[in-house]
Amino acid sequence: MKNILVMGGAGYIGSHTVKHLMAQGYHCVVADNLVYGHREAVLTPDFELADLADKHSLTKVFDKYQIDAVVHFAAYAYVGESVENPQKYFYNNVVGTLNLLDVMLQHQVKKIVFSSTCATYGNPQYMPLDEKHPQAPINAYGRTKFFVEQIFNDYERAYGLKHIALRYFNAAGCSKDGEIGESHTPETHLIPLILKAIKGERDCIKVFGTDYDTKDGTCIRDYIHVEDLAEAHRLALEKLDDFSGCINLGTGIGTSVKEMIEAAEKVTGKKCPVEYGARRAGDPAKLFAANEMARQVLGWQPKYTKIEDIIATAWKWELNKRF
Ligand code: UDP
Protein backbone atom coordinates (compact mmCIF):
# COMPACT_ATOMS: atom_id res chain seq x y z
CA MET A 1 0.00 0.00 0.00
CA LYS A 2 1.78 3.08 -1.23
CA ASN A 3 -0.55 5.55 -2.94
CA ILE A 4 -2.92 7.26 -0.55
CA LEU A 5 -5.68 9.60 -1.64
CA VAL A 6 -6.27 12.23 1.03
CA MET A 7 -9.71 13.71 0.42
CA GLY A 8 -9.76 17.10 2.10
CA GLY A 9 -5.98 17.13 2.39
CA ALA A 10 -5.86 20.95 2.22
CA GLY A 11 -7.66 21.25 5.54
CA TYR A 12 -6.30 21.41 9.07
CA ILE A 13 -6.06 17.74 10.06
CA GLY A 14 -5.77 16.51 6.46
CA SER A 15 -2.72 18.63 5.68
CA HIS A 16 -0.91 17.49 8.83
CA THR A 17 -1.71 13.88 7.94
CA VAL A 18 -0.26 14.34 4.45
CA LYS A 19 2.92 15.78 5.98
CA HIS A 20 3.20 12.79 8.32
CA LEU A 21 2.43 10.17 5.64
CA MET A 22 4.99 11.66 3.26
CA ALA A 23 7.65 11.68 6.00
CA GLN A 24 6.88 7.98 6.44
CA GLY A 25 7.47 7.25 2.76
CA TYR A 26 3.90 7.19 1.44
CA HIS A 27 2.92 8.84 -1.82
CA CYS A 28 -0.02 11.17 -1.22
CA VAL A 29 -2.53 12.55 -3.69
CA VAL A 30 -4.61 15.38 -2.25
CA ALA A 31 -8.09 16.10 -3.57
CA ASP A 32 -9.88 19.12 -2.15
CA ASN A 33 -12.49 21.64 -3.31
CA LEU A 34 -10.60 24.45 -1.47
CA VAL A 35 -13.85 25.84 -0.01
CA TYR A 36 -12.29 25.78 3.46
CA GLY A 37 -8.92 24.25 2.69
CA HIS A 38 -5.73 26.13 1.80
CA ARG A 39 -3.72 25.39 -1.34
CA GLU A 40 -0.57 26.45 0.56
CA ALA A 41 -1.18 23.71 3.12
CA VAL A 42 -0.84 20.96 0.51
CA LEU A 43 2.68 19.54 0.75
CA THR A 44 2.42 16.95 -2.03
CA PRO A 45 2.96 17.94 -5.68
CA ASP A 46 -0.06 15.79 -6.58
CA PHE A 47 -2.98 18.11 -5.91
CA GLU A 48 -6.32 17.74 -7.68
CA LEU A 49 -9.23 20.14 -7.43
CA ALA A 50 -12.22 17.89 -6.82
CA ASP A 51 -15.55 18.07 -5.05
CA LEU A 52 -17.51 15.31 -3.34
CA ALA A 53 -20.65 16.60 -5.07
CA ASP A 54 -19.07 16.11 -8.50
CA LYS A 55 -18.51 12.42 -9.17
CA HIS A 56 -16.84 13.21 -12.47
CA SER A 57 -14.11 15.15 -10.65
CA LEU A 58 -13.61 12.20 -8.29
CA THR A 59 -13.49 9.68 -11.14
CA LYS A 60 -10.77 11.71 -12.85
CA VAL A 61 -8.60 11.42 -9.74
CA PHE A 62 -9.03 7.64 -9.48
CA ASP A 63 -8.41 7.23 -13.23
CA LYS A 64 -5.20 9.25 -13.06
CA TYR A 65 -3.59 7.59 -10.02
CA GLN A 66 -3.44 3.98 -8.84
CA ILE A 67 -4.99 4.62 -5.42
CA ASP A 68 -4.53 1.93 -2.76
CA ALA A 69 -6.49 3.50 0.10
CA VAL A 70 -8.35 6.70 0.97
CA VAL A 71 -8.16 8.92 4.04
CA HIS A 72 -11.33 10.99 4.01
CA PHE A 73 -11.39 14.34 5.82
CA ALA A 74 -13.57 16.33 3.43
CA ALA A 75 -16.52 17.60 5.45
CA TYR A 76 -18.22 20.68 6.74
CA ALA A 77 -17.67 20.90 10.48
CA TYR A 78 -19.38 23.95 11.99
CA VAL A 79 -21.87 22.61 14.52
CA GLY A 80 -23.98 25.79 14.69
CA GLU A 81 -24.22 26.06 10.92
CA SER A 82 -25.24 22.40 10.71
CA VAL A 83 -28.25 23.13 12.91
CA GLU A 84 -29.28 26.15 10.80
CA ASN A 85 -28.56 24.56 7.43
CA PRO A 86 -28.67 20.75 7.78
CA GLN A 87 -29.23 20.35 4.04
CA LYS A 88 -25.72 21.62 3.33
CA TYR A 89 -24.30 19.15 5.85
CA PHE A 90 -26.22 16.04 4.80
CA TYR A 91 -25.50 16.62 1.12
CA ASN A 92 -21.80 17.27 1.54
CA ASN A 93 -20.91 14.97 4.42
CA VAL A 94 -23.27 12.05 3.72
CA VAL A 95 -24.25 12.16 0.03
CA GLY A 96 -20.74 13.34 -0.84
CA THR A 97 -19.26 10.37 1.01
CA LEU A 98 -21.64 8.03 -0.85
CA ASN A 99 -20.32 9.51 -4.11
CA LEU A 100 -16.76 8.91 -2.98
CA LEU A 101 -17.59 5.32 -2.02
CA ASP A 102 -19.23 4.74 -5.44
CA VAL A 103 -16.11 5.86 -7.24
CA MET A 104 -13.84 3.91 -4.89
CA LEU A 105 -15.78 0.70 -5.47
CA GLN A 106 -15.85 1.27 -9.24
CA HIS A 107 -12.05 1.38 -9.05
CA GLN A 108 -11.76 -1.62 -6.69
CA VAL A 109 -10.49 0.57 -3.84
CA LYS A 110 -11.81 -0.96 -0.64
CA LYS A 111 -9.90 0.72 2.17
CA ILE A 112 -10.89 3.94 3.91
CA VAL A 113 -9.90 5.81 7.07
CA PHE A 114 -12.51 8.36 8.02
CA SER A 115 -12.66 11.48 10.21
CA SER A 116 -15.39 10.91 12.72
CA THR A 117 -16.00 12.70 15.97
CA CYS A 118 -16.90 12.34 19.61
CA ALA A 119 -19.96 14.43 18.63
CA THR A 120 -21.50 11.12 17.47
CA TYR A 121 -21.99 10.22 21.16
CA GLY A 122 -24.23 13.19 21.99
CA ASN A 123 -24.77 14.01 25.65
CA PRO A 124 -22.41 11.85 27.68
CA GLN A 125 -23.92 9.34 30.10
CA TYR A 126 -20.57 8.53 31.71
CA MET A 127 -16.96 9.65 31.51
CA PRO A 128 -14.44 8.87 30.11
CA LEU A 129 -16.25 8.14 26.87
CA ASP A 130 -15.40 4.76 25.42
CA GLU A 131 -16.44 3.36 22.06
CA LYS A 132 -19.30 1.38 23.63
CA HIS A 133 -21.03 4.56 24.82
CA PRO A 134 -24.45 4.84 23.11
CA GLN A 135 -24.45 7.09 20.06
CA ALA A 136 -27.17 9.74 20.05
CA PRO A 137 -25.78 12.84 18.34
CA ILE A 138 -27.53 16.09 19.25
CA ASN A 139 -26.83 18.11 16.10
CA ALA A 140 -26.86 17.60 12.34
CA TYR A 141 -23.05 17.65 12.10
CA GLY A 142 -22.76 14.76 14.57
CA ARG A 143 -25.51 12.90 12.77
CA THR A 144 -23.76 13.16 9.40
CA LYS A 145 -20.71 11.46 10.87
CA PHE A 146 -22.84 8.88 12.69
CA PHE A 147 -24.70 7.98 9.48
CA VAL A 148 -21.46 7.52 7.56
CA GLU A 149 -20.20 5.15 10.26
CA GLN A 150 -23.40 3.11 9.80
CA ILE A 151 -23.05 3.12 6.02
CA PHE A 152 -19.52 1.71 6.34
CA ASN A 153 -20.83 -1.33 8.23
CA ASP A 154 -23.33 -2.14 5.49
CA TYR A 155 -20.75 -1.55 2.78
CA GLU A 156 -18.32 -3.88 4.50
CA ARG A 157 -20.90 -6.66 4.69
CA ALA A 158 -22.00 -6.19 1.08
CA TYR A 159 -18.84 -5.06 -0.71
CA GLY A 160 -15.95 -5.88 1.63
CA LEU A 161 -15.12 -2.21 2.39
CA LYS A 162 -12.48 -2.10 5.10
CA HIS A 163 -12.93 1.01 7.20
CA ILE A 164 -11.69 2.70 10.34
CA ALA A 165 -13.60 5.73 11.61
CA LEU A 166 -11.52 7.78 14.03
CA ARG A 167 -13.62 9.65 16.55
CA TYR A 168 -11.59 12.73 17.38
CA PHE A 169 -11.95 14.72 20.54
CA ASN A 170 -10.63 18.33 20.31
CA ALA A 171 -7.97 18.58 17.61
CA ALA A 172 -5.38 21.16 18.62
CA GLY A 173 -1.91 22.55 17.93
CA CYS A 174 0.09 22.88 14.74
CA SER A 175 3.04 21.22 13.08
CA LYS A 176 6.06 21.45 15.41
CA ASP A 177 8.31 22.96 12.73
CA GLY A 178 5.80 25.73 12.00
CA GLU A 179 5.42 24.71 8.33
CA ILE A 180 1.63 24.28 8.46
CA GLY A 181 -1.03 25.01 11.05
CA GLU A 182 -4.60 25.78 11.94
CA SER A 183 -6.37 28.47 9.92
CA HIS A 184 -10.15 28.57 9.85
CA THR A 185 -12.44 31.31 8.57
CA PRO A 186 -14.42 31.88 10.67
CA GLU A 187 -12.33 30.69 13.60
CA THR A 188 -14.41 29.18 16.41
CA HIS A 189 -11.91 27.02 18.28
CA LEU A 190 -10.69 27.82 21.74
CA ILE A 191 -6.89 27.76 21.39
CA PRO A 192 -6.55 29.96 18.27
CA LEU A 193 -9.11 32.37 19.72
CA ILE A 194 -7.17 32.68 22.98
CA LEU A 195 -3.92 33.25 21.06
CA LYS A 196 -5.54 35.89 18.86
CA ALA A 197 -6.80 37.67 21.99
CA ILE A 198 -3.28 37.55 23.44
CA LYS A 199 -1.86 38.94 20.18
CA GLY A 200 -4.42 41.76 20.21
CA GLU A 201 -6.10 40.53 17.02
CA ARG A 202 -9.32 40.13 19.00
CA ASP A 203 -10.62 42.16 21.93
CA CYS A 204 -10.79 39.18 24.30
CA ILE A 205 -11.66 35.54 24.68
CA LYS A 206 -15.24 35.07 25.75
CA VAL A 207 -15.58 32.14 28.16
CA PHE A 208 -18.80 30.27 27.44
CA GLY A 209 -20.16 29.54 30.91
CA THR A 210 -18.65 29.60 34.38
CA ASP A 211 -21.32 27.63 36.27
CA TYR A 212 -20.66 24.11 35.02
CA ASP A 213 -20.26 21.26 37.46
CA THR A 214 -16.47 21.14 37.02
CA LYS A 215 -13.53 22.03 39.27
CA ASP A 216 -13.48 25.72 38.19
CA GLY A 217 -16.94 26.04 36.62
CA THR A 218 -15.73 26.07 33.01
CA CYS A 219 -16.06 23.32 30.41
CA ILE A 220 -13.57 20.49 30.25
CA ARG A 221 -12.38 19.06 26.92
CA ASP A 222 -9.76 16.58 25.74
CA TYR A 223 -7.29 18.39 23.45
CA ILE A 224 -5.30 16.13 21.17
CA HIS A 225 -2.36 17.35 19.13
CA VAL A 226 -2.86 17.31 15.38
CA GLU A 227 0.43 15.44 14.85
CA ASP A 228 -0.78 12.70 17.18
CA LEU A 229 -3.97 12.55 15.12
CA ALA A 230 -1.91 12.38 11.92
CA GLU A 231 0.11 9.44 13.21
CA ALA A 232 -3.08 7.61 14.22
CA HIS A 233 -4.37 7.90 10.63
CA ARG A 234 -1.23 6.23 9.32
CA LEU A 235 -1.47 3.48 11.92
CA ALA A 236 -5.13 3.01 10.99
CA LEU A 237 -4.23 2.69 7.29
CA GLU A 238 -1.70 0.04 8.19
CA LYS A 239 -4.31 -1.85 10.23
CA LEU A 240 -7.09 -1.99 7.62
CA ASP A 241 -6.25 -5.53 6.45
CA ASP A 242 -7.29 -6.99 9.78
CA PHE A 243 -9.62 -4.49 11.45
CA SER A 244 -12.71 -2.45 10.66
CA GLY A 245 -14.51 -0.30 13.21
CA CYS A 246 -14.56 2.94 15.19
CA ILE A 247 -11.80 4.16 17.47
CA ASN A 248 -11.63 7.16 19.81
CA LEU A 249 -8.69 9.53 19.52
CA GLY A 250 -8.11 11.59 22.60
CA THR A 251 -5.43 11.91 25.26
CA GLY A 252 -7.78 10.96 28.09
CA ILE A 253 -6.76 14.19 29.84
CA GLY A 254 -9.31 16.91 30.53
CA THR A 255 -8.42 20.61 30.42
CA SER A 256 -10.85 23.35 31.47
CA VAL A 257 -11.27 26.63 29.59
CA LYS A 258 -9.73 28.52 32.52
CA GLU A 259 -6.77 26.14 32.65
CA MET A 260 -6.29 26.65 28.94
CA ILE A 261 -6.19 30.44 29.31
CA GLU A 262 -3.69 30.18 32.18
CA ALA A 263 -1.51 27.77 30.21
CA ALA A 264 -1.57 30.08 27.17
CA GLU A 265 -0.50 33.02 29.37
CA LYS A 266 2.38 30.92 30.69
CA VAL A 267 3.53 29.81 27.21
CA THR A 268 3.31 33.27 25.64
CA GLY A 269 4.38 35.28 28.69
CA LYS A 270 1.45 37.66 28.03
CA LYS A 271 -1.92 38.36 29.65
CA CYS A 272 -5.06 37.20 27.90
CA PRO A 273 -8.03 39.60 28.04
CA VAL A 274 -11.02 37.54 29.19
CA GLU A 275 -14.77 38.15 29.25
CA TYR A 276 -16.94 35.72 31.17
CA GLY A 277 -20.21 35.00 29.41
CA ALA A 278 -23.19 32.68 29.26
CA ARG A 279 -23.13 29.02 28.31
CA ARG A 280 -23.12 28.09 24.62
CA ALA A 281 -26.07 25.90 23.68
CA GLY A 282 -25.27 22.22 23.32
CA ASP A 283 -21.97 22.23 25.26
CA PRO A 284 -21.67 19.31 27.72
CA ALA A 285 -19.71 20.13 30.91
CA LYS A 286 -17.06 17.48 30.40
CA LEU A 287 -15.82 15.42 27.49
CA PHE A 288 -12.74 13.25 27.55
CA ALA A 289 -11.79 10.00 25.91
CA ALA A 290 -11.09 6.49 26.99
CA ASN A 291 -8.28 5.74 24.53
CA GLU A 292 -7.40 2.11 25.35
CA MET A 293 -8.76 0.93 22.02
CA ALA A 294 -6.45 3.22 20.04
CA ARG A 295 -3.54 2.02 22.16
CA GLN A 296 -4.41 -1.66 21.76
CA VAL A 297 -5.68 -1.85 18.18
CA LEU A 298 -3.42 0.76 16.57
CA GLY A 299 -0.46 0.61 18.95
CA TRP A 300 -0.89 4.38 19.20
CA GLN A 301 -0.12 6.69 22.07
CA PRO A 302 -0.23 10.47 22.23
CA LYS A 303 3.18 12.16 22.26
CA TYR A 304 1.69 15.46 23.47
CA THR A 305 0.27 15.06 26.96
CA LYS A 306 1.04 18.56 28.35
CA ILE A 307 -1.34 21.28 27.23
CA GLU A 308 1.53 23.84 27.33
CA ASP A 309 3.40 21.83 24.68
CA ILE A 310 0.32 21.80 22.44
CA ILE A 311 -0.19 25.55 22.88
CA ALA A 312 3.50 26.22 22.14
CA THR A 313 3.11 24.70 18.66
CA ALA A 314 -0.05 26.75 18.03
CA TRP A 315 1.71 29.93 19.23
CA LYS A 316 4.68 29.34 16.92
CA TRP A 317 2.23 29.10 14.01
CA GLU A 318 0.13 32.05 15.14
CA LEU A 319 3.23 34.28 15.17
CA ASN A 320 4.31 33.21 11.70
CA LYS A 321 1.27 32.04 9.73
CA ARG A 322 1.73 31.31 6.04
CA PHE A 323 -2.00 31.18 5.33
N1 UDP B 1 -15.05 27.97 24.23
C1 UDP B 1 -15.14 29.19 24.91
N2 UDP B 1 -15.05 30.34 24.17
C2 UDP B 1 -14.85 30.35 22.82
C3 UDP B 1 -14.74 29.10 22.15
C4 UDP B 1 -14.84 27.95 22.89
O1 UDP B 1 -15.34 29.23 26.11
O2 UDP B 1 -14.80 31.43 22.22
C5 UDP B 1 -15.16 26.73 24.99
C6 UDP B 1 -16.31 25.85 24.56
O3 UDP B 1 -17.46 26.14 25.31
C7 UDP B 1 -15.78 24.45 24.83
C8 UDP B 1 -14.27 24.58 24.65
O4 UDP B 1 -13.99 25.98 24.73
O5 UDP B 1 -16.02 24.07 26.16
C9 UDP B 1 -13.78 24.07 23.31
O6 UDP B 1 -14.59 24.66 22.29
P1 UDP B 1 -14.22 24.49 20.76
O7 UDP B 1 -15.24 25.31 20.01
O8 UDP B 1 -12.78 24.78 20.53
O9 UDP B 1 -14.44 22.93 20.48
P2 UDP B 1 -15.72 21.99 20.72
O10 UDP B 1 -15.49 21.33 22.06
O11 UDP B 1 -16.94 22.83 20.68
O12 UDP B 1 -15.61 21.00 19.61
Side-chain angles (χ1 to χ4, degrees):
M1 185 172 60
K2 195 174 161 290
N3 294 322
I4 310 297
L5 172 63
V6 183
M7 250 344 273
Y12 171 43
I13 305 170
S15 59
H16 286 82
T17 300
V18 169
K19 182 173 164 78
H20 174 79
L21 285 171
M22 290 176 68
Q24 295 287 318
Y26 286 90
H27 171 240
C28 289
V29 176
V30 165
D32 200 294
N33 63 5
L34 297 182
V35 169
Y36 289 117
H38 302 275
R39 183 66 185 86
E40 305 91 312
V42 178
L43 300 179
T44 172
D46 291 314
F47 172 76
E48 304 292 334
L49 194 65
D51 194 301
L52 291 173
D54 174 8
K55 261 198 197 175
H56 180 65
S57 71
L58 301 176
T59 301
K60 277 207 299 203
V61 176
F62 282 83
D63 285 346
K64 181 167 172 187
Y65 304 92
Q66 192 75 44
I67 300 297
D68 297 308
V70 176
V71 189
H72 176 27
F73 295 96
Y76 295 140
Y78 289 104
V79 170
E81 186 187 52
S82 82
V83 175
E84 281 153 29
N85 190 2
Q87 189 182 39
K88 172 173 174 180
Y89 279 70
F90 286 111
Y91 269 97
N92 187 68
N93 297 7
V94 183
V95 178
T97 299
L98 288 170
N99 286 340
L100 174 64
L101 292 173
D102 282 355
V103 178
M104 283 174 64
L105 293 175
Q106 276 160 11
H107 290 80
Q108 305 301 321
V109 179
K110 297 194 174 185
K111 289 182 178 175
I112 189 164
V113 174
F114 177 65
S115 300
S116 190
T117 167
C118 66
T120 60
Y121 294 117
N123 286 322
Q125 295 171 14
Y126 59 83
M127 207 54 62
L129 281 166
D130 60 20
E131 291 81 356
K132 294 198 180 75
H133 188 284
Q135 286 178 290
I138 57 166
N139 52 60
Y141 166 68
R143 267 187 287 278
T144 66
K145 297 289 183 175
F146 173 66
F147 291 162
V148 171
E149 288 187 0
Q150 303 299 308
I151 289 166
F152 285 157
N153 291 327
D154 287 319
Y155 274 44
E156 175 164 37
R157 270 187 291 272
Y159 315 123
L161 180 78
K162 303 298 289 179
H163 57 96
I164 296 181
L166 297 172
R167 295 181 183 152
Y168 316 150
F169 283 65
N170 289 56
C174 300
S175 118
K176 196 176 180 185
D177 61 12
E179 189 179 19
I180 50 175
E182 184 169 17
S183 182
H184 296 114
T185 309
E187 186 54 75
T188 60
H189 294 108
L190 182 65
I191 295 176
L193 290 178
I194 289 174
L195 297 180
K196 285 179 199 308
I198 286 176
K199 259 171 91 186
E201 256 180 54
R202 297 175 63 92
D203 291 347
C204 65
I205 180 76
K206 192 165 173 189
V207 174
F208 296 148
T210 52
D211 58 349
Y212 284 100
D213 183 18
T214 59
K215 54 195 164 188
D216 61 22
T218 64
C219 280
I220 291 178
R221 293 288 178 273
D222 181 336
Y223 297 88
I224 173 167
H225 195 270
V226 67
E227 289 180 336
D228 283 328
L229 287 177
E231 185 181 29
H233 287 77
R234 174 183 56 83
L235 294 168
L237 276 172
E238 291 168 355
K239 200 74 202 172
L240 281 170
D241 280 327
D242 30 72
F243 179 87
S244 277
C246 302
I247 303 177
N248 281 346
L249 286 181
T251 60
I253 302 162
T255 304
S256 76
V257 176
K258 270 192 187 158
E259 285 172 335
M260 188 66 88
I261 295 167
E262 282 159 21
E265 289 179 334
K266 204 166 117 195
V267 169
T268 60
K270 296 175 201 280
K271 266 320 252 184
C272 180
V274 181
E275 185 188 313
Y276 294 98
R279 291 182 178 199
R280 182 173 68 176
D283 266 345
K286 282 185 220 166
L287 282 178
F288 50 95
N291 62 14
E292 282 70 25
M293 196 165 169
R295 290 174 189 271
Q296 282 163 19
V297 175
L298 303 179
W300 172 86
Q301 62 172 36
K303 294 193 173 67
Y304 287 84
T305 51
K306 293 223 306 272
I307 201 64
E308 286 82 2
D309 294 341
I310 294 179
I311 295 170
T313 65
W315 184 233
K316 181 171 182 170
W317 170 251
E318 197 58 52
L319 291 176
N320 213 347
K321 285 175 82 156
R322 289 195 305 116
F323 49 83

